[in-house]
Amino acid sequence: LYGGLGPSLLGSGASWGGYFYLYEKIKAWAELRTGSRPGPVTHFCAAAAAGAGMVAMTNPIWLVKTRMQLQVSASAVGGAGGRVAPYKGAADAVATIVAQEGIAALYKGAVPALLLTSHGGVQFVAYEYLKGCVALAPPGGEDRKRRLANGRSVAGRARDSFGYLCMGAASKIIASTVTYPLQVIKSRLQQRAETAELTPAGRALVLRREYSGIADCAARTWQEGGVRGFFRGAVPNALRVAPGAAVTFF
């Protein structure tokens, strides 16, 4: 249940820290250049540019995380003839990937990952829109600036805090659902060409899944499951990312 936890923690910390830094810098630069407050298009472009920068730096981390999450235990691999040895850890995974597939393999799935930068764009546009709606329609019709100037009660601060939590979670769920098919394609491209998998009967089989590119991966995913194939695991994924986003935007 905790396979790939180390790379996931490292990737999340590096990605979010760098992402927010780049996003704010790009947004401030755009505001300085245009002399006006950034709108939805600027928010989207700033988020996409920040995401692209982080893909270049963190794609190897996410590839290792994906492979460690998909691998089965050493005993199961033994039952499959030991053809696919599981990684012993993140460092062993990187060393094995580079030795067997070359250093370029660390950037498998980078193209759909770049397309996934639209995820951040959708998220920030949704968040800024929700935040604008809250600012334009404060409780009781009271002017928001007057409330801030006169100070707020503990209940008022709690209400605002809960609102930011909800907006952060809602914007993340919207973005993750809209862009989930790209996440499926990225994960499939990043998995090992040969993987040991368990059948419903408990037998270990070595399966070979290798895609020639994004189009081939998308076509085979469609053949296997249709539209539902692109959204398998979307609900657990939304439940996974929503709490973190809520706290991040709090």
Side-chain angles (χ1 to χ4, degrees):
L1 290 176
Y2 289 92
L5 178 61
S8 181
L9 292 174
L10 177 61
S12 296
S15 295
W16 276 110
Y19 185 84
F20 274 103
Y21 175 80
L22 291 176
Y23 174 75
E24 292 297 335
K25 287 292 184 181
I26 295 171
K27 192 170 69 169
W29 174 81
E31 185 174 0
L32 185 64
R33 291 272 297 184
T34 60
S36 60
R37 187 175 181 179
V41 174
T42 302
H43 290 308
F44 184 91
C45 292
M54 296 315 301
V55 166
M57 290 185 275
T58 63
N59 194 78
I61 299 174
W62 296 119
L63 180 134
V64 169
K65 184 217 68 159
T66 298
R67 292 200 174 188
M68 291 184 69
Q69 287 180 330
L70 293 176
Q71 69 181 1
V72 298
S73 65
S75 59
V77 171
R83 287 171 53 189
V84 185
Y87 303 123
K88 299 175 183 177
D92 177 60
V94 173
T96 303
I97 292 168
V98 172
Q100 295 181 352
E101 305 172 52
I103 195 168
L106 293 174
Y107 284 89
K108 283 184 176 180
V111 174
L114 286 171
L115 295 176
L116 270 170
T117 57
S118 59
H119 174 110
V122 174
Q123 180 182 354
F124 273 93
V125 168
Y127 177 77
E128 297 288 351
Y129 173 78
L130 293 173
K131 190 168 67 173
C133 290
V134 172
L136 289 174
E142 184 182 1
D143 182 76
R144 186 170 183 270
K145 291 184 178 179
R146 187 180 305 164
R147 283 197 303 122
L148 293 174
N150 296 334
R152 294 173 297 176
S153 65
V154 174
R157 290 196 296 270
R159 182 185 59 228
D160 289 349
S161 298
F162 181 72
Y164 281 112
L165 286 172
C166 292
M167 288 187 292
S171 62
K172 189 68 173 181
I173 291 173
I174 293 170
S176 65
T177 302
V178 170
T179 60
Y180 194 74
L182 290 172
Q183 182 67 50
V184 171
I185 292 174
K186 180 174 81 79
S187 297
R188 288 196 169 210
L189 289 173
Q190 288 183 335
Q191 68 182 351
R192 297 177 85 166
E194 281 192 343
T195 58
E197 296 186 7
L198 296 177
T199 66
R203 296 179 55 194
L205 296 176
V206 175
L207 302 177
R208 185 170 185 84
R209 288 196 182 96
E210 193 167 11
Y211 304 100
S212 59
I214 296 176
D216 177 49
C217 182
R220 289 165 64 178
T221 302
W222 176 269
Q223 290 173 356
E224 292 173 10
V227 175
R228 294 182 63 181
F230 290 98
F231 288 94
R232 285 175 181 165
V235 173
N237 180 69
L239 295 176
R240 177 184 66 85
V241 299
V247 174
T248 299
F249 283 95
F250 173 61

